[in-house]
Amino acid sequence: MDRNIESETGGAGHVTRKAVLRAALAAGLTAPAVLMGVPALARTLTGSEEAPALTPTCDDGDDPTPPQMEGPYFKPNSPRRTSLVDASTPGTRLTVSGYVFGLACRPVAGALLDFWQADVNGAYDNTGFRFRGHQFTDASGAFRLSTIVPGLYPGRTRHIHVKVQAPGRPVLTTQLYFPGEPRNNTDSLFDPRLLMTVRDAGGAKEAAFDFVLNVPQDPGPSPTPTPTPTGTPGGTWAAGATYRPGDSVTYGGRGYACLQAHTAQAGWEPPNAPALWRLL
């Protein structure tokens, strides 16, 4: 199932655990605190950016991230590292970051991620370990990979291979894709559910993707619906306004600083959205 940013909020105001948890982790809050929290999006798109299809939202038993074939170029025993490049590596720099979740949308700490990809010319290193490396998620289930945008080779669109494994669980083998690639329409393996969210960052690219593993978890508390307040508490915060990190507002006689870029909505008032606003 393809899910965009809007559908992660459930359309009618329901916010999934995954969206809430991602927002809190991005804001530096702990998982227990956010699971008792309120709606917020971890990766709100602004301006003219469009939301591509995402991995399925984990929402109490929804589908895990879909697998894909390993292909002929996997090699075991890759070095442990979070960067596959150095100062002399040719190609457009790419940072891929995200989280690994289980079926109940709780982060999976210590999950193994083993990445491999083609170089800028579309070639794989089958004798050494260029553009190959593994790492483990941190305590919040987060990972971060520094690499380049892989080159193209005949028959395939642009992609990155990855194996993901929670401790003591089966391995998920899959591939990550780039939005807007012409060959996405002709590659028989391409799956829109595996599209990363990609944006320009100067002369580089930044990509985001969250994996949902088939790992049973206790569901924990659901996000608590926040009633839309009646009346006007006063202050400068306004629904429909666009806020950026560092912006300041007042609400209910108190001051707040914005933590993440977002467009304000009813129910996301500063005292109700600690993942978006910090009390001054």
Side-chain angles (χ1 to χ4, degrees), residues 23 25 41 50 67 111 115 184 200-201 217 221 238 242 248 250 269 274:
L25 295 174
L41 295 178
E50 296 181 357
F115 294 96
N184 289 350
D200 292 327
Q217 297 172 316
T242 298
S248 297
T250 57
E269 295 80 8

Side-chain angles (χ1 to χ4, degrees), residues 63-252:
D63 298 332
T65 300
Q68 286 216 317
M69 65 179 295
E70 178 181 280
Y73 301 119
F74 173 70
K75 286 180 59 176
N77 303 316
S78 69
R80 180 175 178 176
R81 56 189 178 188
T82 58
S83 177
L84 307 183
V85 296
D86 58 33
S88 63
T89 304
T92 301
R93 293 297 189 268
L94 171 69
T95 301
V96 183
S97 62
Y99 297 94
V100 176
F101 294 101
L103 292 177
C105 304
R106 292 181 176 272
V108 178
L112 169 69
L113 298 104
D114 195 346
F115 294 96
W116 72 102
Q117 66 172 79
D119 65 15
V120 69
N121 297 313
Y124 288 85
D125 180 6
N126 296 315
T127 58
F129 289 95
R130 288 186 304 111
F131 296 107
R132 300 176 185 271
H134 73 272
Q135 59 179 279
F136 296 88
T137 56
D138 64 16
S140 67
F143 70 91
R144 185 179 181 87
L145 176 71
S146 297
T147 182
I148 63 165
V149 175
L152 293 166
Y153 58 91
R156 292 302 317 274
T157 190
R158 220 177 292 275
H159 63 281
I160 296 175
H161 294 270
V162 59
K163 290 180 179 286
V164 189
Q165 182 181 25
R169 302 294 301 181
V171 176
L172 166 69
T173 300
T174 193
Q175 301 179 35
L176 302 181
Y177 295 99
F178 294 77
E181 288 288 330
R183 291 193 187 182
N184 289 350
N185 297 323
T186 58
D187 189 328
S188 62
L189 293 178
F190 171 73
D191 188 333
R193 295 173 297 174
L194 296 169
L195 278 167
M196 297 182 288
T197 302
V198 181
R199 67 178 183 180
D200 292 327
K205 301 280 188 181
E206 293 180 348
F209 191 88
D210 297 327
F211 296 94
V212 180
L213 298 183
N214 189 12
V215 175
Q217 297 172 316
D218 293 330
S222 295
T224 303
T226 304
T228 301
T230 57
T232 303
T236 60
W237 181 90
T242 298
Y243 295 106
R244 299 184 179 278
D247 288 350
S248 297
V249 299
T250 57
Y251 186 89

